[in-house]
Amino acid sequence: MTGELLRLTGGVLRSPFKRPSPEADFPRERLVLPGVRVDQDRLAAYERVCGFPTGDSALPVTYPHVLGFPLAMRLMSDGAFPLPLPGLVHTSIEITRHTSLPATGEYELAVHIEGLAPHRRGTEATVVTAMGAGGEVVWESRSTYLARHRTDRRPAEPREERPAPLPVVAQWRLAGDVGRRYGAASGDRNPIHLYPLTARLFGFPRAVAHGMWTVARCVAAHGTSGSAKVWARFLAPVLLPGTVAFGADGAGRYELRGEGGRLHLRGEVS
């Protein structure tokens, strides 16, 4: 734990000297962690805060992201990673679960940075996480993280249009401690998610819900089983406390909207 903290602190201290660019070099190593077993108490805490049924024999489809997150942070806090860690924004995730994942199983995790790409607001990095069991990949994901900076480049694709609202299935009142509870269960204790004071240091008026909590909460409400694909794009921060509307249709699409119909998240489960 101390080593990880020192590594992250070093990444933060080096950040002001980094010059992000889509053409920059980045760490090419693939970090591998074998013999991973799930802490059942932390899993239960995760299930409770995200709305999954507790005591299920299988892992929630989003939980392997929690297991692989420390490896991803190790890569992104490395001195060779060209994007500054503070202010890095998780913009999307794609998850593929090839089979049901026993909560008591033993797994191998592998994480690498796939590459950098230009974004209309800066530079985006793609981080790939894979979880294996018995020599086979049983779960994998691709996450994109955006470093905002001045750029004269514009991607070829046009800005995506926002879709019409989906039918509202439920309204959720989010408590101010959701970020702290999710942070304790997931290990992601980014200060923007914890308290209003620490969030204001980074320009937010109140604490912000974790993007991966919003995905997990939506997927828990939607439901998945066996093999599945989950896609989500994070569009606007969810401030805590607050009220959001969960929308979904029969085709697997889902979304989260706030006051005035502001779209925070949209995605799809198949």
Side-chain angles (χ1 to χ4, degrees):
M1 181 65 72
T2 301
E4 289 296 326
L5 181 59
L6 290 174
R7 187 177 294 109
L8 292 176
T9 302
V12 170
L13 293 176
R14 286 189 295 267
S15 291
F17 303 100
K18 294 188 174 184
R19 297 293 180 265
S21 164
E23 290 80 25
D25 196 12
F26 56 90
R28 309 285 173 159
E29 62 182 316
R30 180 172 178 264
L31 299 183
V32 178
L33 181 64
V36 175
R37 288 192 175 275
V38 175
D39 182 312
Q40 298 301 309
D41 290 337
R42 287 187 64 181
L43 173 60
Y46 177 90
E47 290 169 335
R48 285 192 294 269
V49 73
C50 295
F52 291 103
T54 57
D56 198 332
S57 61
L59 295 175
V61 67
T62 50
Y63 194 70
H65 175 85
V66 170
L67 300 176
F69 188 68
L71 293 181
M73 287 301 294
R74 185 182 300 180
L75 284 174
M76 290 189 288
S77 62
D78 189 283
F81 185 66
L83 308 185
L85 198 56
L88 205 61
V89 180
H90 196 181
T91 50
S92 73
I93 187 166
E94 298 175 8
I95 294 173
T96 302
R97 181 174 64 189
H98 298 285
T99 185
S100 181
L101 309 173
T104 56
E106 182 175 312
Y107 301 100
E108 179 179 273
L109 287 166
V111 179
H112 72 276
I113 298 170
E114 187 175 75
L116 305 177
H119 185 280
R120 61 187 177 85
R121 293 184 176 177
T123 299
E124 210 167 47
T126 299
V127 179
V128 177
T129 302
M131 190 165 80
E136 300 288 336
V137 174
V138 294
W139 182 99
E140 53 193 323
S141 74
R142 299 176 77 254
S143 281
T144 56
Y145 295 90
L146 172 65
R148 296 178 179 178
H149 59 86
R150 284 188 173 185
T151 175
D152 294 329
R153 297 187 57 172
R154 294 291 183 270
E157 66 272 11
R159 185 181 299 189
E160 62 180 321
E161 295 184 4
R162 299 294 169 86
L166 298 176
V168 175
V169 177
Q171 284 196 329
W172 299 327
R173 294 180 63 185
L174 310 181
D177 68 346
V178 166
R180 296 191 293 276
R181 291 173 57 209
Y182 182 84
S186 68
D188 182 357
R189 293 184 173 86
N190 186 323
I192 68 171
H193 304 303
L194 303 182
Y195 299 97
L197 178 60
T198 55
R200 282 197 292 269
L201 295 175
F202 293 89
F204 296 97
R206 303 197 301 275
V208 177
H210 294 73
M212 283 307 299
W213 177 84
T214 62
V215 175
R217 185 68 185 88
C218 290
V219 173
H222 184 282
T224 61
S225 62
S227 59
K229 288 189 176 182
V230 175
W231 169 84
R233 184 174 295 279
F234 308 109
L235 299 168
V238 175
L239 299 178
L240 301 171
T243 301
V244 292
F246 170 64
D249 64 10
R253 295 184 301 165
Y254 65 89
E255 67 182 21
L256 211 57
R257 289 183 182 266
E259 295 181 4
R262 188 184 191 193
L263 185 59
H264 295 291
L265 165 79
R266 69 183 183 92
E268 188 171 347
V269 177
S270 61

